[in-house]
Structure formats: C-alpha cells, structure tokens
Amino acid sequence: MKISIRNVLCRVLVVAMMMLPFQTGQASMIGTDQATSAASTQADRNTVINLLSRAETARELQSLGLDPKTAADRLAAMTDDEVRSLAGKINAVPAGADGLVLLILVVFFIWYFAFRR
Amino acid sequence: MTLYKGVRLTAGAFFLLAALTGCATMVPQTMDLRDAWPAGVPDRVELGDVPFFPQQDYQCGPAALATTLVYSGVKVTPDDLVSQVYLPARQGSLQVEMLAAPRRYGIVSYAIAPRLDDLLREVAAGNPVIVLQDNGIGPLSKWHYAVVAGFDYPAGELLLRSGETLRLAIPFTILEYTWKKGRYWAMVTLPPDRIPATATESGYLEAILAMARVGNAGAVTMAYRTFLNRWPDNVTASVALANKHYEWGAIKEAEAVLRQAAARHPDSVLVLNNLAQTVSDQGRNDEALAIIERALRTESLFTASARETRELILQRRAKGG
C-alpha cells in the first residue's frame, strides 16, 4: 500500500515538474488560471497540490467501483477546489441515495407534533 | 407489537426534543419566512413542465439531475447520467459530481446560497432546485436528492419531484428539517444563455469557469457573453472568453473581446498584455509594441509577463515579421 502511494506520488511529481517550466515559458498570453489566482508563486504551489489531489481522488474513485477511464473523465469535469474538497475524505461526504421509508416517518412526526407552516 | 412500541418511543423522544429545543431553533428559516417573505416572490408557484424520472434503486442523483437538465433543454436520461454521478460502493452520488456532470452538456451548474429565500427565488424565476436532504433520524443519515418544482405558501407546502413520487407535497418545516443537516445545500442547472436569479458576480463567474473546462465551444462562449452582458466590467470574464477564443484559434474574436475590455479598463496590464499578444500574432508588431508599452506604464502582478511579451514582440519585429 505504502509503495503504491509512493509510486503515484513520484509519477505525479515528475509530471508536475515537467509541466511547471512549460507553464511559465510558454507564449506570453496570460492564462485564465493565472488571472484568477493572486500571486504566481502561490499558483505554482497550487499546481502541484492540485495534481496530487487529483491523483489521490482518482485512486479513491477507483476504489469505490469506477474504472480508471471513468474516474479520470469524472475528475476532469471538477474544478481544483472541488477535487481538493474530496481528496482524502470521499467516504465522509454525503452521497445522496434514497431513504423514503424514514422520510415518511419523519414527515409524520413533525406533521403530527409540530405545525404545518 | 415491538414495532409499535419503537414508533411510540421515537415519537415521544421527538416530541420532547421539539419541546426542549423549541421549534424556532429546529427550523429557523421557516420561522423567519413568517415575518419576511422574500420580496417579489409570489406565494404560489408550480413549474408544471418540470419532467419526472422515477428513481431506480439508489439512483436519486441521476434522476434528480436528469430532471433539471431536461428542463434546461438537454436530451438526457437518468441512465446516461449513472456513469457520471453514481458511485457504486457508496450507493449514491456526491454533491461535487452533481455539480460537475452538467458541465459536459454545456450547462452551468450553480450551488445557490444556503437560504430558503434563495431557493424560493430560484423556483419563482422558473428554475427547479435540486436539494440534498437527510431523511434519516438522529445519527442515522439517509441522504437523498429531490427537486423542488414549486411551493404553495398558503397551504404551507413545497412541491417536490422525489424518488418515485411525481408531486410530493411536504410542509416547509419538514423540508427545512431534512435540508438543514446537509447545510442547506442546493443547486440549479441553467442553459448558458441564462443566469440564476440569485447568482452573485464572483460565484457565477466561478461556475462558468468550471463549465469552460469541459463544455463545448458554443456553450462556453454563450455563457461568457451572457455574463458580460450582466456584468460588463468584469475583467476576468473578458480575459477568460478571449483566452478560449485564442485556444480555439479564433484570434480575431479574441482581439475583439480584448479591445472591448481595454476600452473599459485602459490601464489593465492583464488585458493589454493579452491584446498585444493577439495583435502581434496577426503580424502587426508595431501596433502590438505600442499596446505593450502602454501596459508597462502601470505596475502590476503581471508586469513580468508583460516584459516577456515586449521581448517577444521586439524579436518578431527584428525578424521583420
């Protein structure tokens, strides 16, 4: 387990390091991400953190029953903030399913003991 | 017999809890509504055209999402969405994924503020709202997504598309009680030519930026245009739209957007830098140089980038390009 985490970490860091110089050395157009994040050193640090969070969340999604391709596709539609909100706590956040039986009980009790409006 | 006893016990405990804490603290927002109904919102609204997809198994997430997406004009079924929002091992759907999935269809998803007022405003504006409810009791959570498609305040009820019920009328108190535990989380999905009734400038820009990650070109452009019609002074939105045009190779469109932004913000280093770049890319390096010189008159976070751009323009000019 430890080894696999370290593997992922290394791979991600390699990718991150490959990406950083490209980002700053590319054409002179200032990107939307740069425009929205305040300081550029902070932006660089966030890039690494975001890549790590994405790798971690991808792994977690797979452990919850998604195949790698689907997990990657679903991650792609999330913002960095959203990915960070999931990384490491995907089992702690609510997952809406159903629960109508209990709903009927709750409805009945509040209806009965409280008031309508 | 034991079941009956259990029910009586629960009811007793519930009653005691209600009496002790006071109803006002259990459903504070419903209480506030009694004194202050949101201005301009009628007391009865029902969006009858909101479709209904009875949920299967644990798939209220895909069902709720299909409901609002179809209403927003997307051709989609809950089955199409299962692979995008359903997590087999959790037997449910995460809030983040509910927000993320609509973006693929060029639809902007927006988490509204955690207020009953805002929920009512959105419904009154014709936008069905997906709510996350906890229908469990005490520590036993039963998370569930439903769609609010109307309300009837004189009757004290909200009208939901929920589970297998097409028109579930539940009292305001119940909705708030079940909605509160998920910190009043709610979202709307809107086509890119519309803006949610309760949207804030910064919040909605973030929603569009998020959609632009995976949305199609037409929808992304439309969303930014709609945003800029409402908030024409937003520099980030202009730059983001121009960057998208640039990315798609539509340099003339990018230049036009940046020129409009530069007219409103003549000192924005960000805008001037990108404008100079697009002008230079079209081979007009003298003009580009004049623009970048203007950018360098003001000190900003982007000054370093502007200097690089100037270097590039000078190199290109020297080559005679």
Side-chain angles (χ1 to χ4, degrees):
Chain A
M1 190 63 191
K2 267 228 160 101
I3 291 168
S4 81
I5 291 173
R6 205 176 297 158
N7 258 341
V8 171
L9 198 80
C10 286
R11 256 181 261 168
V12 167
L13 281 175
V14 167
V15 174
M17 283 159 89
M18 275 160 60
M19 278 181 71
L20 283 178
F22 277 119
Q23 271 207 339
T24 46
Q26 227 181 6
S28 313
M29 204 76 173
I30 297 170
T32 307
D33 285 349
Q34 271 171 286
T36 48
S37 63
S40 58
T41 48
Q42 184 64 36
D44 286 352
R45 198 176 310 142
N46 282 344
T47 309
V48 177
I49 293 172
N50 290 334
L51 281 165
L52 288 172
S53 306
R54 277 186 192 271
E56 185 178 3
T57 309
R59 206 160 34 79
E60 286 175 331
L61 285 175
Q62 286 174 42
S63 75
L64 293 173
L66 299 188
D67 61 75
K69 165 104 176 49
T70 309
D73 278 355
R74 281 161 68 157
L75 268 178
M78 296 181 202
T79 66
D80 294 336
D81 284 347
E82 286 169 346
V83 174
R84 254 179 280 146
S85 78
L86 286 187
K89 37 192 163 288
I90 211 160
N91 275 310
V93 297
D98 66 355
L100 286 174
V101 184
L102 281 175
L103 171 71
I104 291 160
L105 279 178
V106 174
V107 167
F108 176 75
F109 292 134
I110 302 190
W111 179 265
Y112 194 78
F113 291 109
F115 40 84
R116 298 188 70 187
R117 150 148 76 90
Chain B
M1 200 59 201
T2 37
L3 176 72
Y4 179 65
K5 254 175 137 179
V7 170
R8 262 209 326 201
L9 194 71
T10 319
F14 215 94
F15 182 67
L16 200 66
L17 191 76
L20 284 177
T21 56
C23 296
T25 51
M26 279 179 73
V27 286
Q29 297 203 17
T30 307
M31 287 294 146
D32 289 347
L33 273 190
R34 288 182 166 185
D35 303 326
W37 182 256
V41 174
D43 59 8
R44 269 197 200 99
V45 173
E46 182 161 9
L47 309 175
D49 298 341
V50 174
F52 173 58
F53 299 99
Q55 80 170 65
Q56 289 157 355
D57 300 330
Y58 297 100
Q59 301 176 349
C60 69
L65 207 50
T67 305
T68 65
L69 284 180
V70 168
Y71 192 71
S72 309
V74 180
K75 286 200 179 80
V76 73
T77 64
D79 282 347
D80 300 333
L81 293 166
V82 168
S83 65
Q84 296 183 47
V85 296
Y86 184 70
L87 263 188
R90 290 290 310 271
Q91 293 193 328
S93 303
L94 309 178
Q95 290 147 281
V96 162
E97 297 216 89
M98 295 289 282
L99 286 166
R103 295 170 188 154
R104 293 200 180 283
Y105 300 92
I107 294 287
V108 187
S109 46
Y110 184 67
I112 66 171
R115 285 190 298 262
L116 198 45
D117 270 28
D118 286 41
L119 186 152
L120 297 172
R121 277 207 185 96
E122 288 297 347
V123 175
N127 308 324
V129 179
I130 298 176
V131 290
L132 175 68
Q133 297 174 284
D134 182 359
N135 291 333
I137 296 175
L140 201 70
S141 281
K142 279 271 184 187
W143 297 105
H144 175 68
Y145 293 107
V147 180
V148 181
F151 51 85
D152 183 343
Y153 195 60
E157 289 171 341
L158 288 131
L159 309 167
L160 273 59
R161 305 266 184 275
S162 177
E164 287 163 10
T165 317
L166 165 68
R167 190 178 183 276
L168 179 70
I170 64 169
F172 275 68
T173 45
I174 308 282
L175 180 94
E176 180 168 1
Y177 182 76
T178 57
W179 187 35
K180 192 167 73 169
K181 292 196 224 160
R183 292 190 211 142
Y184 298 105
W185 186 87
M187 65 175 273
V188 290
T189 63
L190 264 83
D193 60 344
R194 295 195 46 216
I195 297 177
T198 62
T200 62
E201 183 176 348
S202 60
Y204 200 55
L205 180 58
E206 256 178 62
I208 296 176
L209 288 168
M211 192 271 271
R213 299 174 63 87
V214 288
N216 62 69
V220 172
T221 310
M222 174 67 87
Y224 281 125
R225 294 246 174 245
T226 309
F227 182 92
L228 285 166
N229 270 338
R230 168 80 71 88
W231 293 289
D233 279 327
N234 194 297
V235 178
T236 311
S238 300
V239 170
L241 173 59
N243 281 351
K244 276 291 169 189
H245 281 309
Y246 190 86
E247 189 184 313
W248 298 321
I251 294 196
K252 286 209 183 308
E253 279 84 350
E255 184 190 339
V257 172
L258 289 167
R259 284 212 183 273
Q260 276 174 14
R264 284 182 177 271
H265 307 276
D267 298 324
S268 166
V269 180
L270 173 60
V271 172
L272 292 174
N273 176 79
N274 288 11
L275 179 59
Q277 175 77 36
T278 54
V279 170
S280 164
D281 285 352
Q282 296 172 75
R284 308 193 320 257
N285 284 311
D286 288 336
E287 194 185 338
L289 191 63
I291 297 170
I292 203 69
E293 296 289 356
R294 245 171 78 201
L296 286 167
R297 267 182 245 151
T298 318
E299 190 68 30
S300 108
L301 280 172
F302 303 111
T303 298
S305 303
R307 286 211 189 90
E308 280 176 34
T309 308
R310 185 170 175 274
E311 283 305 309
L312 179 85
I313 295 169
L314 287 175
Q315 279 169 25
R316 284 177 175 177
R317 210 170 65 135
K319 279 185 203 154

